[in-house]
Amino acid sequence: MLDTASLTRIGFLTLPNHSMIACANALEALRMANYVTEGELYSWRIVTMDGTPAVASNGLSLSPTHALAEAGPLDLLLVCGGTDVRHAATPAIADALRRLARRGVALGALCTGSFVLAEARLLDFYRCAVHWENLPALREEFPRITFVEEAFAIDRDRLTCTGGVAPLEMMLTLIEAKGGRALADKVSEQFIVDRAPRRPEKVVARPRPLLPDPTLARAVRLMEAAIEQPLGVSGIANRLGVSARQLERLFQRHLGVAPAAYQLRLRLERARELLRLSPLPVTDVGLACGFQSAAHFSTAYARHFGRPPSRERREALPAAPARPGG
């Protein structure tokens, strides 16, 4: 079992177009822990494969940046992802990560960096947290990984995080393991963060407006949980203990749309995510979203988005690199 208190020498492998906010939240937590203790609890290195600073999605880069091979001893390496991560998952990075794993270095990821670990087969049979936008696609693509709808996941020697401000909470968990709750609270106070006892933080798969009616909210959750095998309106109503007519009225009153139309929109939006973020064949995307007929899928998709799924795929994933072996 990994002792998270022992993770004090931490590397940040920054990928092209990485999320600066995710990386900075994790790194600043370490800096602040050193500041409030007036010591050197943690050390860190910003690294890339060749030492050339990676440009983040906001156009900035971090300096100094070291080559991974020259970073010195590390207890934990965090892969910092962001946009277009599929093209950043090179065989060279996968090989380097596997070597580190064989040497006993703990591996982790911020934001979409989990994809790089997944491609390298370093998350098989682990729990993993990833940004909600990428969650459906990765679940389809990597069935041996247990994806969780939590802000972060620490499973043995793998630490994964959704991104945004969530890395701060994950690092506060490491800081608490090292220096106790009081130290973690002092770091939180410096960042003006109210740290409630709710770790690992539960997050929804997709942010949505608060729904005013609890029955309506439960109906929407049922629809989201049954994308591949959609429940009919009558089936949803039966599970909720209401009539189909009552369900129709709820959707019309609060959302201005029939429940069947709302459910179809959810399925099509999920299909667009898979087309944009996964390499699944278009036919398989349709099946994963409850369309048994390719023609029906194509027609419904084109009617909703104004272009067929085949065009969506061509524009979203041009010449993605091959998956590394191993």
Side-chain angles (χ1 to χ4, degrees), residues 244-289:
R245 185 179 295 274
Q246 286 176 296
L247 196 61
E248 292 274 355
R249 286 199 296 265
L250 278 174
F251 271 82
Q252 290 290 355
R253 182 184 309 132
H254 296 293
L255 299 175
V257 66
Y262 187 89
Q263 186 177 44
L264 177 61
R265 187 176 73 191
L266 287 177
R267 292 162 58 201
L268 291 170
E269 288 175 348
R270 175 69 58 81
R272 182 168 62 172
E273 291 174 359
L274 294 176
L275 289 168
R276 290 178 171 180
L277 299 172
S278 85
L280 289 175
V282 172
T283 302
D284 289 354
V285 169
L287 291 172
C289 297

Side-chain angles (χ1 to χ4, degrees), residues 26-39:
L27 191 153
E28 283 293 287
L30 305 178
R31 180 191 67 82
M32 190 58 69
N34 287 353
Y35 173 78
V36 299
T37 59
E38 299 182 354

